[in-house]
């Protein structure tokens, strides 16, 4: 018999399937996973992988040690309230990957006194290169924290923050961060074309350069600012580009954009938590 916990994914969308795929590739037993949803084709695909599937959220909750809430934030209140009796009866750990919904709101909707972890993942989880921020309310045990961390590490890295409000900063850095890099790539591809390269060559060079720079930063024990200095020879080509970026306010633009992202995350928590 498996010693692994039984997991129930409420919602079988992209993020659930990314986590499930990572777990199974890490030898987590498929028979220990339940998935619910309204799209039968998605459930059938998961069932073929050996999972238990159902359209009944309460049945999945009844079977689970850990329930992962992965529905859209706009419908989470209704889903949670419908599950509240089953959650109160079975007392699973609740892990929410729904953006913006605060622990207190979910605790109220689920009937109170819930062990609850909020998780802010990002889309690179789909290719097992995700970055997740985690926050646990005081009812979560050390064992449950470890289990949650192991679940989210199936898709990349998972890091704990000390306060729930810090998840807004996680949203600004990693949750929304992939789009910042896509914008940079978009601009570089266009600039490469303007300088005379074909679009395909400019695109391939841009993507590979982003991948290589990220891998150097990941493997290095020095700060990104030092890595930048090391490739910016005085009066060289790279330095001219960097000085132009700085002179035209790129660092401030990035900081302002991330502040706006964090502010919106805070506002959404209020709007969606009512």
């Amino acid at each position: 018999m498996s010693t692994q916990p039984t997991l129930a994914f409420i919602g079988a969308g992209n993020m659930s399937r990314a986590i499930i795929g990572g777990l199974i590739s890490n030898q987590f037993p498929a028979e220990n996973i339940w998935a619910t949803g309204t799209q039968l084709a998605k459930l059938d695909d998961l069932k073929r992988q050996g999972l238990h599937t159902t359209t009944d959220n309460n049945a999945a909750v009844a079977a689970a040690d850990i329930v992962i809430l992965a529905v859209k934030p706009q419908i989470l209140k209704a889903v949670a309230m419908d599950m509240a009796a089953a959650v109160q009866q079975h007392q699973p750990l609740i892990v929410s990957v729904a953006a913006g919904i605060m622990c207190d709101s979910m605790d109220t909707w689920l009937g109170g006194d819930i062990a609850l972890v909020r998780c802010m993942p990002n889309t690179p989880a789909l290719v097992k290169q995700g970055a997740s921020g985690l926050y646990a309310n005081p009812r979560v045990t050390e064992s449950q924290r470890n289990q949650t961390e192991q679940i989210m590490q199936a898709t990349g890295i998972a890091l704990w923050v000390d306060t729930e409000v810090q998840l807004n900063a996680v949203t600004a850095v990693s949750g929304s961060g992939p789009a910042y890099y896509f914008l940079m790539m978009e601009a570089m591809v266009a600039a490469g074309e303007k300088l005379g390269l074909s679009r395909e060559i400019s695109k391939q060079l841009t993507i590979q350069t982003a991948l290589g720079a990220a891998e150097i930063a990941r493997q290095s024990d020095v700060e990104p600012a030092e890595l930048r200095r090391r490739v910016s020879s005085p009066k060289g080509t790279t330095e001219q580009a960097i000085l132009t970026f700085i002179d035209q306010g790129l660092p401030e633009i990035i900081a302002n954009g991330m502040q706006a992202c964090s502010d919106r995350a805070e506002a959404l928590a209020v709007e969606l938590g009512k």
Side-chain angles (χ1 to χ4, degrees):
M1 178 178 267
S2 172
T3 59
Q4 296 282 13
T6 299
L7 313 180
F9 287 81
I10 308 301
N14 287 338
M15 188 56 66
S16 285
R17 284 180 288 152
I19 298 169
I20 290 166
L23 288 166
I24 291 175
S25 69
N26 288 345
Q27 309 306 311
F28 191 94
E31 63 268 22
N32 282 40
I33 305 175
W34 286 69
T36 76
T38 57
Q39 297 185 36
L40 296 180
K42 290 182 179 179
L43 294 183
D44 286 344
D45 180 58
L46 292 170
K47 190 172 185 177
R48 283 191 290 271
Q49 298 178 51
L51 278 69
H52 304 277
T53 62
T54 179
T55 57
D56 183 349
N57 291 339
N58 290 317
V61 169
D65 302 303
I66 301 174
V67 173
I68 297 93
L69 295 176
V71 298
K72 294 183 184 302
Q74 292 80 2
I75 66 169
L76 181 57
K77 180 177 182 178
V79 170
M81 292 181 73
D82 185 63
M83 295 168 35
V87 168
Q88 287 295 320
Q89 180 179 352
H90 299 286
Q91 294 290 310
L93 169 67
I94 302 293
V95 178
S96 172
V97 297
I101 310 290
M102 301 285 282
C103 286
D104 283 350
S105 295
M106 286 185 283
D107 187 66
T108 298
W109 299 339
L110 291 166
D113 295 324
I114 303 298
L116 204 155
V117 173
R118 271 188 67 194
C119 174
M120 182 66 231
N122 64 4
T123 54
L126 298 172
V127 292
K128 299 184 185 178
Q129 295 295 332
S132 298
L134 303 173
Y135 169 77
N137 77 1
R139 298 181 188 89
V140 176
T141 67
E142 191 64 28
S143 174
Q144 289 172 327
R145 285 172 67 101
N146 292 336
Q147 288 175 325
T148 305
E149 190 173 321
Q150 288 170 12
I151 291 167
M152 296 312 302
Q153 283 176 343
T155 61
I157 66 169
L159 305 173
W160 293 95
V161 295
D162 296 325
T163 64
E164 189 171 10
V165 72
Q166 288 177 318
L167 287 178
N168 295 332
V170 172
T171 301
V173 175
S174 57
S176 298
Y180 315 157
Y181 289 101
F182 295 147
L183 177 60
M184 183 69 173
M185 291 180 193
E186 180 185 349
M188 288 178 66
V189 171
E193 279 191 280
K194 188 175 180 180
L195 290 167
L197 296 175
S198 72
R199 181 167 185 80
E200 186 58 29
I201 287 176
S202 186
K203 178 182 174 183
Q204 288 192 43
L205 290 173
T206 294
I207 292 171
Q208 185 63 29
T209 299
L211 180 65
E215 187 61 21
I216 287 174
R218 189 183 71 84
Q219 293 188 23
S220 179
D221 59 356
V222 301
E223 292 293 314
E226 175 58 24
L227 295 176
R228 171 179 59 79
R229 283 190 287 269
R230 290 179 183 181
V231 296
S232 303
S233 303
K235 298 184 179 180
T237 57
T238 306
E239 185 186 63
Q240 289 306 300
I242 295 297
L243 289 175
T244 301
F245 291 151
I246 293 173
D247 182 62
Q248 296 190 14
L250 182 60
E252 290 79 13
I253 289 170
I254 293 170
N256 291 340
M258 291 175 66
Q259 183 64 57
C261 179
S262 179
D263 291 346
R264 181 56 181 154
E266 185 176 352
L268 278 173
V270 176
E271 292 173 22
L272 296 171
K274 293 177 180 177

